[in-house]
Amino acid sequence: MADRRTDLMEARHAVPQGQTVTDVAIIGAGPSGAAAAAWLARRGLAVRVIERSRFPRFSIGESLLPQCMVHLEACGLLEAARGGNFQVKNGAAFTWRGRDTTIDFRDKFTPGPGTTWQVERAEFDQRLIEGARHAGAEVEFGSTVDAFVPDAERPRLTITDARGERSTLEARFVLDASGYGRVLARLTGLARPSSLESRCALFTHVEDRIDCSRHDREKILIGIHPDHSDVWYWLIPFREGRASVGVVGNRAALEAVGTSDSERLWHFIHAEPRLAELLAKAEAVRDTGRLEGYSADVKRLHGPGFALLGNAGEFLDPVFSSGVTIALDSALRAAPLVERQLGGEGVAWDTEFEQPLRRGIATFREFVDAWYDGRLPRIIFNERQTPRIRSMISSILAGYAWDTANPFVAASRRRLDSLAEACTVEPDNVVTSAERHP
């Protein structure tokens, strides 16, 4: 560690005025940025995090997956997050036309944690970045990255700070964890359209005032509109009687009713019987938000002297809460490679980072596609699968999308197609096609 710090101090004296240097520059202080910063700083590297917002700040994406717990522990941030005393989550509940079913993450095929949290992201993200700072990372809030010069050895960022002053930051490597800002994808021309259909989400936080004994606060509740199967809902319970609620669909469908996003959100909530019952006494505690066109992709996830993490590279869809899981997984794949490269080793970023990361993302994508085309709801609402098959599906929904021992990872599309063909879901009854046509 001492040698690295000494080298860095010598480099600082050699750069022009108005330019600073660091080992690793990280754009964005969200979960992937904090995880990478904590991991690298604990190994003696000088890390500087550049964040546009002031923390704490609101962010959507509050329901975590158990796989996240593995990554939080690996980067040394699990205890920092645990201090938030967040709402425990052990699975997902689903409702459709009066039918209810659950997936319990503790009953899963893949080893590892079976529980996680449902979090208000403002506090969760604050705890993570403070943990990274405690590990030794330098964090600069209120600053934006205006330009980037990729370089295999000395990539450079042009930064405007909160006072409006511009400077240049030279690093030995840059990680983009800017989320929806997708800073380097824009500045390097790597952004490309997602293969997923563009959708819109309307959401808010509420004092939920739920007094139904059948409601399990340890599970996210996902509902499907009774008449429009491509419109779905989330209800994410927090501690102390609060919750995040939202509806997702194509923009035209959501804007066909009401004159404001708040009216539209509550119109759709009242159209789903279970949600309408649970939220009958709810009161919004923040304005209705809108997020649309959020699915994104890039031509590649790395380049000379940089790599893209989490949403800054590819984001799928909020339906299975995979965003933070992918963000943390990407950070914990990239950070050891950065350490190796800065230590003088050769790193094959394509085969050691991009390809394995995208394999897990591809598994999530198959499940997202199967959700919207109706295959996955048919499977989920058919509880007559064997416990083993149910446990394999549970593992994917718990975030273990990289476990190639799971047949639903190794051959997602084929397995989903085969299982969906075997079952049919009706509003009040679930039967297999074999039973319907003996």
Side-chain angles (χ1 to χ4, degrees), residues 358-386:
R358 284 197 187 266
R359 280 195 288 270
I361 295 173
T363 298
F364 280 125
R365 184 187 295 108
E366 291 291 348
F367 272 66
V368 170
D369 287 342
W371 174 262
Y372 283 105
D373 67 27
R375 287 173 295 157
L376 195 55
R378 290 202 299 274
I379 293 168
I380 288 174
F381 282 93
N382 182 351
E383 295 185 321
R384 297 184 184 180
Q385 292 107 19
T386 66

Side-chain angles (χ1 to χ4, degrees), residues 5 9 11 34 40 107 114 144 149 193 197 217 225 232 234 240 244 248 304 337 343 359 363 378 382 432 437:
R5 298 294 187 189
M9 291 179 65
L40 291 163
D107 299 328
T144 59
V149 179
E197 179 182 337
R217 297 192 73 89
H225 193 284
W232 64 273
W234 76 73
E240 299 176 355
S244 171
V248 177
L337 300 181
R359 280 195 288 270
T363 298
R378 290 202 299 274
N382 182 351
T432 67
H437 303 291

Side-chain angles (χ1 to χ4, degrees), residues 181-211:
R182 311 186 75 228
V183 172
L184 294 193
R186 291 187 292 103
L187 294 178
T188 61
L190 289 178
R192 69 179 180 188
S194 171
S195 61
L196 296 172
E197 179 182 337
S198 179
R199 294 184 174 90
C200 177
L202 304 177
F203 52 85
T204 190
H205 283 184
V206 299
E207 293 284 352
D208 61 59
R209 299 170 182 168
I210 296 173
D211 56 10

Side-chain angles (χ1 to χ4, degrees), residues 82-99:
R82 200 188 303 278
N85 193 30
F86 297 115
Q87 171 66 55
V88 172
K89 174 186 176 183
N90 61 27
F94 299 85
T95 186
W96 182 31
R97 297 181 180 179
R99 291 197 58 84

Side-chain angles (χ1 to χ4, degrees), residues 71-88:
H71 296 319
L72 290 172
E73 185 170 25
C75 67
L77 294 178
L78 184 59
E79 290 307 311
R82 200 188 303 278
N85 193 30
F86 297 115
Q87 171 66 55
V88 172

Side-chain angles (χ1 to χ4, degrees), residues 129-302:
I129 197 60
E130 287 302 323
R133 179 180 269 167
H134 182 73
E138 180 183 352
V139 185
E140 180 179 325
F141 294 104
S143 294
T144 59
V145 174
D146 303 317
F148 174 61
V149 179
D151 185 88
E153 295 183 357
R154 295 290 177 183
R156 295 187 303 281
L157 300 169
T158 301
I159 299 168
T160 301
D161 67 17
R163 300 180 300 276
E165 297 178 1
R166 300 190 81 188
S167 63
T168 300
L169 175 62
E170 182 182 280
R172 298 170 66 199
F173 203 90
V174 176
L175 292 171
D176 184 1
S178 60
Y180 296 119
R182 311 186 75 228
V183 172
L184 294 193
R186 291 187 292 103
L187 294 178
T188 61
L190 289 178
R192 69 179 180 188
S194 171
S195 61
L196 296 172
E197 179 182 337
S198 179
R199 294 184 174 90
C200 177
L202 304 177
F203 52 85
T204 190
H205 283 184
V206 299
E207 293 284 352
D208 61 59
R209 299 170 182 168
I210 296 173
D211 56 10
C212 175
S213 61
R214 295 184 295 118
H215 180 58
D216 185 352
R217 297 192 73 89
E218 295 190 353
K219 291 180 175 64
I220 182 176
L221 176 60
I222 298 175
I224 303 175
H225 193 284
D227 301 317
H228 305 287
S229 60
D230 60 341
V231 174
W232 64 273
Y233 309 82
W234 76 73
L235 170 58
I236 302 171
F238 300 141
R239 64 189 179 188
E240 299 176 355
R242 285 200 173 198
S244 171
V245 296
V247 60
V248 177
N250 68 67
R251 181 177 184 178
L254 298 188
E255 293 188 343
V257 299
T259 58
S260 69
D261 283 347
S262 178
E263 286 182 14
R264 293 167 183 135
L265 172 61
W266 289 100
H267 169 88
F268 277 95
I269 288 173
H270 292 149
E272 203 294 309
R274 181 72 174 140
L275 272 293
E277 173 193 5
L278 291 174
L279 297 174
K281 300 176 183 178
E283 181 177 342
V285 294
R286 63 175 298 114
D287 292 340
T288 298
R290 172 189 284 236
L291 184 63
E292 58 185 322
Y294 42 73
S295 297
D297 198 1
V298 289
K299 298 171 186 174
R300 63 180 185 276
L301 294 172
H302 62 93

